[in-house]
Amino acid sequence: MANLDYRTLPFWDSNLDVEARVADLLKQLTLQEKFSLCAGKSLFAMKPVPRLGIPILHMSDGPHGVGALGSHLKKMTYFPVGICRTATWNPALAEQYGRASAEEIRSIGYQMILGPAINIQRAPLCGRTFEYQTEDPYLNSRMAVAAVRGTQSVRVAACVKHYAANNQEFKRMRVSSEVSERALREIYLPAFEAAVREGNTWSVMACYNRVNGVYGCEHRDLLVSKLREEWGFRGVVVSDWYAARPTSSTETCVKGGLGLEMPGGGSRYNQKRLATAFKANKFTEAELDSNLTGLLRVMILTGLLDDPKSLPAGARNTKEHFEISRKIAEEGIVLLKNEGPLLPLDINSVKKIAVLGPNVARKNGFGGGSSMIRAAHEITPLQGLKEKCKRKVKLVKNPADADVAVVVVGLHHCMLSHWDMEMYDKKSLAIPPAQVDLIQQTVTLNPKTVVVLVSGSPVEMDAWLEQVPAVVEMWYAGMEGGRALADILFGGVNPSGKLPITFPKRLADSPAHASERTFGGADKVFYDEGVFVGYRHFDARGIEPIFPFGHGLSYTTFAYDQLEISPAPVSGEGPVTVSLEVTNTGNRAGAEVVQLYIQDVEASVERPPKELKGFQKLFLAPGETQSATFELNLRDLSFWDEAANAWKAESGTFAVYIGSSSRDIRLQGEFDYTS
Ligand code: BGC
C-alpha cells in the first residue's frame, strides 16, 4: 500500500464522469480516512488524505468578497453588502458578483466561498441584517440562485448559509426558533430550496440555532428529509463554525445529515469519537457515506483533483471586479426622498457644497464579523465627492456658507454600540442623538440638505425626516461606494435601487419585536407572526411604514399601462401570464423595477394581502416603452397546507397588483383559478 501509485486510480481521471469518480473515490477510502475527512484541519481548511494524494480543500468567507480571516488578510475586492446587492433587484448583478468573488478566491487557490448568506430579515435589529438579503422569500430566492450560479460557473463551491431560521444573533448558539411548518415553507426555506433546486448549490451551512428544539447540525428533517430527499441536494452540509458542539451526539449528527464539521479539531466529528460511536453500532457506514459523498462530489466538482491549469482562471483586484463592485453600488443605493426635487445637483450651477457628518470619511470593509474584507481600496463618501467636485465645486464645512449641504450619518460595524455586527443584535433603531442634532442644525442653517444614511439595516427617522428634503440610503456600498454616491447626487447615475426590507416608523411596528417572547428573550424565540413577516405584516395590519418594501425613487418618471392577464379564468396546472407596458415619461434614461404582487382574495386560511411573485428591472431611454411579462405557476398561487403537509392552491379569485413599490400600485387586475 505504501507504494500505491494513486495517480492511476480512476478518481484521478478527469476524463471520467463526475459520478464515476465520486463512486471510485468513496471505494478507495478506508474507514479511518473517511472519519478524518468529516472534520476540518484548521480554521478554513479540510484535512488531506496523503495516501491517495488528496490535497487540502480550502475555503474562506463571503458574502461581500473573499473574507479577510480565511484569506490570511489578503487584499481583495470589497463588494457592497448583501442588503445593498439585493436592493439592486438585479439578479444579473448578483450573478456577476458570484462569479467575480469566486474568481478572487480561485486566485488564492481555494475551492469554496462561504456565502451567500440568505436568512430572512425577520427582525430589523438582527445584527446580520446587513449581510442578509431581504425580508421577502421570492426576492431572496432570485438573488440567491443568481449568486450561486455565478460562483459555481467557475468551479468554486457556493455555501448558502445559515440553514435555517437563524434570524438573530442573540443567544445564537442556544436559541430555538419556534416556527410553524407553514412559515418555514413560505418564508424561511424558499431561498434555500431554490438555491438547491435551481442553483444546484454544492454546499449548505447548517445554522447555530435550534429549529423547533433541534440543533441545525443534527436536524434530520431539515438536512435529510427536506434538503436531500425532497429537494435533491447532492452536495455537502458544512456546520457553522463550532455549531456542532452543542448537539446531542456524534451519531445524531451523522444520522442528521451533517457532512463536515468546521473548524478543525472537531468535537462531534473527531476521529476518536466517530470510531467509538461506529464500534458501538450507533451509525452505519452507509449513513456516513451518504453524508460524505456530497463532500467528495465537491472535491471533484471544484477541480481539487484536477490539473490546476485545466481550471477556470482566477483573478483578483481586477478592473472588471472593481467595476462590478461599483455597478452594484450604483444600482443598490436607494433614493428614499427627494422633495423639490433637490436632487440631482447640477455640477455647473452648484458653487459650494458643505460635506459633513461622522460617516463621511469612515471605511467599513474591515468590520462586521466573519464577512469582513481587507479591501484593496475603499472610496469613502468624502473621497467620492472630492473626486467629483474637483475644480468645479468647492467643498466647505459650514452649511450656511454652501449652496447645498450633504450630511453623512448612520451606523457602522461596531461591537461596542452593537450596530450591524455579527454576534450582536442592535439595541434599537435609533441613530445616535448627536447625529439627530447635527441633521437638525444643518437643515436649519441650510434648507437644501441631503441626508445620506450609511447603514446595513433600517433606522428611525421620525425626529428629522419631515424637515429634510432629500434622503439617500447608501448602505455599506463596497470599495467604490463613494464614487457611486457622488454620481447619484450629481445625476451621472440615475438611482434605481429599491428597498428589500420595510423601514418601520418604530420598532414596535415590526412583528418580531412585539415582545420578549418573539425576540431577544429566553432560550426560545416564538415566531408568532407566522407568515406575516415584513410587508406582509404591515399590509395585513394596516400599519404605515416610513418607507415600504420595494420603495425607491428615480430622477425620471414611469407610466404603467396595458395590463393583460391570460388565460382568465385559469384551471389546472398551466401558468398564468401577466404582461404590461412601462414607458419612461421623463427626459432622463432610468431603470424601473416592476413588481408583481398577488393576493388570494378568498382563502381558507389567512393569507397576506400582497405577496411578491415576480419583478423585472427595465432600463429605459427617455420616451421608450418596454413590456414586462411574468408567468405565475401553481406554486406561486399556493400556501403551505399544514393539515395535508403539502402546497395547496385554492379555487377562487386572485388579485394581481403591479407596483413601483409594495405601496405604490400602478395597475390592478384579477383572474379566477379553478383547481
Ligand atoms: C459565521 C459564518 C462564517 C463562519 C466562518 C461563523 O461565525 O456564522 O457565517 O462563515 O463563522 O467564519
Side-chain angles (χ1 to χ4, degrees):
M1 264 325 222
N3 293 329
L4 175 72
D5 182 5
Y6 54 76
R7 287 276 173 187
T8 61
L9 296 173
F11 73 84
W12 274 103
D13 182 356
S14 50
N15 295 317
L16 273 186
D17 149 87
V18 173
E19 291 314 310
R21 292 177 79 185
V22 171
D24 180 60
L25 177 49
L26 185 68
K27 207 170 70 192
Q28 306 291 344
L29 291 166
T30 65
L31 193 58
Q32 283 310 319
E33 285 165 345
K34 288 181 184 175
F35 290 160
S36 87
L37 280 176
C38 288
K41 171 176 180 286
S42 57
L43 253 187
F44 292 98
M46 277 184 50
K47 291 192 197 114
V49 184
R51 185 183 65 89
L52 297 174
I54 298 173
I56 295 174
L57 183 142
H58 288 96
M59 57 197 84
S60 189
D61 270 304
H64 311 135
V66 179
L69 301 177
S71 67
H72 304 288
L73 298 179
K74 288 210 173 44
K75 286 194 173 173
M76 292 286 184
T77 299
Y78 167 34
F79 295 93
V81 296
I83 196 169
C84 179
R85 187 174 71 239
T86 309
T88 67
W89 292 60
N90 187 346
L93 285 180
E95 187 161 343
Q96 286 178 32
Y97 146 76
R99 180 180 49 76
S101 56
E103 284 169 354
E104 300 240 335
I105 208 163
R106 166 73 71 206
S107 80
I108 58 168
Y110 288 18
Q111 289 75 24
M112 183 187 286
I113 185 155
L114 305 172
I118 60 173
N119 293 104
I120 285 285
Q121 292 162 340
R122 168 179 182 257
L125 291 190
C126 170
R128 296 182 91 168
T129 301
F130 74 97
E131 221 178 315
Y132 298 149
Q133 303 197 121
T134 169
E135 68 186 21
D136 178 78
Y138 180 81
L139 177 59
N140 206 21
S141 304
R142 295 333 330 137
M143 299 302 274
V145 168
V148 168
R149 283 191 180 145
T151 301
Q152 297 189 168
S153 69
V154 290
R155 297 187 65 182
V156 166
C159 182
V160 292
K161 64 191 190 183
H162 314 85
Y163 184 63
N166 180 184
N167 308 102
Q168 66 181 50
E169 291 302 279
F170 185 63
K171 295 190 182 172
R172 66 178 184 173
M173 302 197 75
R174 193 160 80 230
V175 75
S176 176
S177 301
E178 298 290 311
V179 51
S180 69
E181 186 67 18
R182 181 174 169 209
L184 274 176
R185 294 287 190 162
E186 292 185 32
I187 306 290
Y188 298 99
L189 301 187
F192 289 99
E193 180 178 357
V196 172
R197 287 191 197 265
E198 297 174 56
N200 185 25
T201 186
W202 296 340
S203 78
V204 167
M205 190 184 290
C207 60
Y208 283 126
N209 53 288
R210 292 176 288 153
V211 181
N212 295 323
V214 181
Y215 276 106
C217 290
E218 57 183 349
H219 208 299
R220 202 179 150 78
D221 177 51
L222 283 175
L223 303 184
V224 179
S225 309
K226 291 189 168 82
L227 194 65
R228 207 186 283 168
E229 292 169 359
E230 199 182 314
W231 306 339
F233 178 64
R234 319 238 313 137
V236 61
V237 174
V238 181
S239 75
D240 199 344
W241 271 230
Y242 306 103
R245 281 194 176 171
T247 56
S248 9
S249 67
T250 298
E251 57 273 18
T252 53
C253 290
V254 176
K255 287 176 183 290
L258 181 69
L260 174 65
E261 180 181 4
M262 286 303 286
S267 56
R268 294 297 167 209
Y269 278 3
N270 74 38
Q271 261 166 279
K272 227 165 133 193
R273 279 205 180 181
L274 279 159
T276 311
F278 182 74
K279 260 195 217 132
N281 293 322
K282 299 272 176 63
F283 64 86
T284 64
E285 188 165 357
E287 282 169 328
L288 186 74
D289 287 354
S290 50
N291 298 335
L292 202 64
T293 36
L295 184 58
L296 306 182
R297 197 170 283 119
V298 170
M299 292 179 178
I300 307 278
L301 288 167
T302 57
L304 184 73
L305 307 178
D306 293 343
D307 177 358
K309 289 200 278 305
S310 70
L311 301 177
R316 67 176 178 281
N317 300 326
T318 62
K319 235 174 108 192
E320 192 215 347
H321 292 178
F322 296 165
E323 257 315 297
I324 293 170
S325 183
R326 181 165 176 168
K327 195 85 192 104
I328 295 170
E330 288 174 358
E331 287 196 31
I333 293 175
V334 183
L335 178 60
L336 293 174
K337 180 175 178 185
N338 191 17
E339 263 170 17
L342 175 57
L343 296 174
L345 307 173
D346 179 0
I347 200 128
N348 298 313
S349 61
V350 172
K351 299 279 173 270
K352 285 194 236 170
I353 175 171
V355 180
L356 56 163
N359 284 357
V360 81
R362 196 191 294 282
K363 296 191 175 181
N364 296 299
F366 199 69
S370 58
S371 63
M372 66 167 73
I373 308 281
R374 183 153 178 249
H377 65 254
E378 184 175 345
I379 308 293
T380 64
L382 185 62
Q383 282 169 300
L385 284 165
K386 273 188 179 161
E387 258 183 45
K388 172 78 30 194
C389 293
K390 204 169 174 186
R391 286 194 288 273
K392 293 189 182 120
V393 180
K394 199 168 165 208
L395 265 60
V396 297
K397 288 254 152 57
N398 181 0
D401 179 35
D403 301 314
V404 177
V406 177
V407 197
V408 188
V409 293
L411 312 176
H412 56 100
H413 301 304
C414 181
M415 210 180 291
L416 295 177
S417 312
H418 294 196
W419 289 331
D420 294 336
M421 267 305 293
E422 179 176 340
M423 285 172 64
Y424 303 92
D425 292 322
K426 289 200 300 182
K427 292 177 197 145
S428 82
L429 289 182
I431 56 172
Q435 294 192 11
V436 174
D437 291 347
L438 178 70
I439 296 171
Q440 284 168 339
Q441 281 157 16
T442 309
V443 74
T444 310
L445 293 172
N446 191 335
K448 288 188 176 175
T449 290
V450 183
V451 170
V452 174
L453 285 168
V454 175
S455 73
S457 50
V459 297
E460 270 171 11
M461 302 182 208
D462 261 11
W464 50 266
L465 186 62
E466 278 206 0
Q467 297 150 260
V468 172
V471 183
V472 174
E473 174 57 75
M474 184 181 173
W475 317 110
Y476 302 112
M479 67 197 313
E480 293 283 321
R483 291 193 174 118
L485 176 72
D487 275 337
I488 284 177
L489 296 181
F490 282 96
V493 167
N494 190 351
S496 62
K498 301 269 188 181
L499 293 180
I501 186 172
T502 304
F503 274 40
K505 280 197 173 144
R506 59 194 72 80
L507 191 60
D509 290 347
S510 273
H513 295 295
S515 70
E516 285 223 333
R517 181 184 151 84
T518 56
F519 188 86
D523 285 353
K524 286 184 177 179
V525 53
F526 293 88
Y527 288 32
D528 288 343
E529 71 283 1
V531 300
F532 294 88
V533 174
Y535 66 90
R536 286 165 165 75
H537 164 83
F538 285 79
D539 287 348
R541 313 292 171 238
I543 302 168
E544 203 53 42
I546 342 175
F547 294 112
F549 176 82
H551 169 77
L553 304 173
S554 166
Y555 296 148
T556 186
T557 45
F558 301 100
Y560 286 60
D561 208 356
Q562 304 284 335
L563 176 65
E564 279 177 26
I565 303 172
S566 68
V570 184
S571 59
E573 304 247 332
V576 186
T577 304
V578 178
S579 66
L580 65 134
E581 289 188 347
V582 180
T583 303
N584 180 348
T585 46
N587 52 14
R588 253 172 210 275
E592 173 69 325
V593 179
V594 180
Q595 301 161 39
L596 181 156
Y597 299 86
I598 64 168
Q599 179 191 20
D600 184 352
V601 179
E602 316 124 27
S604 62
V605 294
E606 194 192 2
R607 297 195 63 181
K610 277 185 226 104
E611 295 181 75
L612 183 75
K613 295 295 173 183
F615 64 88
Q616 221 168 298
K617 191 163 192 172
L618 302 177
F619 294 83
L620 296 161
E624 187 185 350
T625 300
Q626 279 181 32
S627 53
T629 304
F630 303 95
E631 281 204 343
L632 296 170
N633 58 35
L634 206 53
R635 170 82 177 260
D636 293 323
L637 312 187
S638 304
F639 67 93
W640 184 262
D641 180 356
E642 293 199 329
N645 207 30
W647 293 102
K648 183 173 186 184
E650 289 181 331
S651 296
T653 303
F654 282 79
V656 174
Y657 303 103
I658 305 291
S660 174
S661 87
S662 64
R663 295 248 170 147
D664 181 4
I665 300 304
R666 303 292 183 85
L667 298 170
Q668 193 169 332
E670 60 177 45
F671 61 88
D672 285 319
Y673 169 73
T674 320
S675 64

